[in-house]
């Protein structure tokens, strides 16, 4: 089932998500719904808070980018209870980011090129690894959602001032995109 994507201003996007256990109700179905929602919205990553649940589940599909990043051919992965343990800040990279929860907004964001993450897969097997490159950027973006942050929290005050009107429009429910959304109540 395609779920609505919660947009900027929804309280769930500002909550710190909770770890889950293998007995989380209908987890397989929820993950299937997340994949279907991600495909429908033509995104590359989706965190559970973006579909209204403050739990630590993320799906990432980098196969869509395999023409530019051949190393990600066939890459589709579920991350359960992910946490960034450490960021190697010795090398950073600035790239433009967008977000399904902030349609129409794209800003340049500085991120570490290499991160240390711990997570579980769908069998709840633990993984502890260093990740680098574009996947590290996508993980940082998606895992930020699990900490109650969105990418615009990482831009300069000047840039925030310049997009203030766009953020206000999102808060008022004035949204144009090609996928289902759940906007905040108009104020």
């Amino acid at each position: 089932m395609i779920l609505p994507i919660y947009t900027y201003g929804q309280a769930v996007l500002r909550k710190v998500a909770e770890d889950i256990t293998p007995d989380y109700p209908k987890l397989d179905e929820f993950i299937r719904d997340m994949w279907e929602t991600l495909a429908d919205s033509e995104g590359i990553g989706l965190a559970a808070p973006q579909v209204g649940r403050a739990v630590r589940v993320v799906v990432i599909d980098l196969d869509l980018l395999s023409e530019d990043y051949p190393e990600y051919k066939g890459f589709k992965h579920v991350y359960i209870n992910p946490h960034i343990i450490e960021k190697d800040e010795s090398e950073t990279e600035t790239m433009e980011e967008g977000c399904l929860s902030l349609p129409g907004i794209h800003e340049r964001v500085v991120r570490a090129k290499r991160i240390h993450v711990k997570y579980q897969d769908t069998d709840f097997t633990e993984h502890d690894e260093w990740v680098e490159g574009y996947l590290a950027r996508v993980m940082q973006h998606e895992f930020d959602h699990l900490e109650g942050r969105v990418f615009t929290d990482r831009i300069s005050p000047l840039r925030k001032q310049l997009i203030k009107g766009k953020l206000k429009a999102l808060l008022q429910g004035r949204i144009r995109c090609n996928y289902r959304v759940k906007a905040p109540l108009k104020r």
Side-chain angles (χ1 to χ4, degrees):
M1 172 173 50
I2 296 170
L3 304 169
I5 293 178
Y6 285 56
T7 58
Y8 183 78
Q10 289 283 4
V12 70
L13 295 176
R14 293 303 187 179
K15 288 183 181 173
V16 175
E18 296 181 9
D19 282 351
I20 62 170
T21 58
D23 62 349
Y24 185 80
K26 298 183 179 181
L27 179 59
D28 290 341
E29 181 181 328
F30 179 55
I31 290 170
R32 272 193 309 276
D33 291 348
M34 286 185 70
W35 280 124
E36 197 173 330
T37 302
L38 182 63
D40 180 69
S41 61
E42 299 178 0
I44 60 172
L46 186 67
Q50 292 181 274
V51 290
R53 293 199 199 175
V55 295
R56 297 187 85 86
V57 178
V58 169
V59 296
I60 295 177
D61 180 357
L62 294 184
D63 185 60
L64 296 168
L65 305 176
S66 62
E67 198 170 292
D68 294 326
Y69 298 94
E71 66 270 28
Y72 296 126
K73 181 76 177 150
F75 185 97
K76 287 180 76 163
H77 201 86
V78 178
Y79 299 90
I80 296 174
N81 300 328
H83 293 271
I84 296 175
I85 305 306
E86 182 181 353
K87 294 179 184 179
D88 178 356
E89 301 284 355
S90 66
E91 279 193 74
T92 59
E93 185 173 41
T94 304
M95 289 181 74
E96 187 174 274
E97 292 186 16
C99 182
L100 297 173
S101 293
L102 289 99
I105 298 177
H106 296 84
E107 289 293 324
R108 295 177 58 76
V109 179
V110 178
R111 301 249 189 218
K113 281 186 161 185
R114 187 170 171 261
I115 59 172
H116 179 197
V117 296
K118 285 187 179 182
Y119 63 90
Q120 296 166 317
D121 58 28
T122 53
D123 296 322
F124 282 81
T125 301
E126 296 271 346
H127 297 266
D128 182 334
E129 57 194 47
W130 281 91
V131 178
E132 53 190 53
Y134 197 73
L135 177 58
R137 170 171 292 277
V138 175
M139 283 179 155
Q140 289 172 82
H141 177 107
E142 297 306 329
F143 296 0
D144 268 358
H145 283 297
L146 305 178
E147 302 301 332
R149 291 198 280 290
V150 294
F151 81 97
T152 54
D153 296 340
R154 298 199 177 274
I155 63 175
S156 72
L158 174 61
R159 290 300 313 159
K160 275 189 192 163
Q161 190 61 35
L162 291 172
I163 64 167
K164 189 176 177 181
K166 289 180 180 181
L167 293 173
K168 185 177 179 185
L170 290 175
L171 288 172
Q172 294 172 343
R174 291 185 283 135
I175 297 167
R176 284 194 184 153
C177 57
N178 297 328
Y179 48 87
R180 285 183 57 206
V181 297
K182 183 168 176 69
L185 296 175
K186 293 184 180 182
R187 299 173 187 185

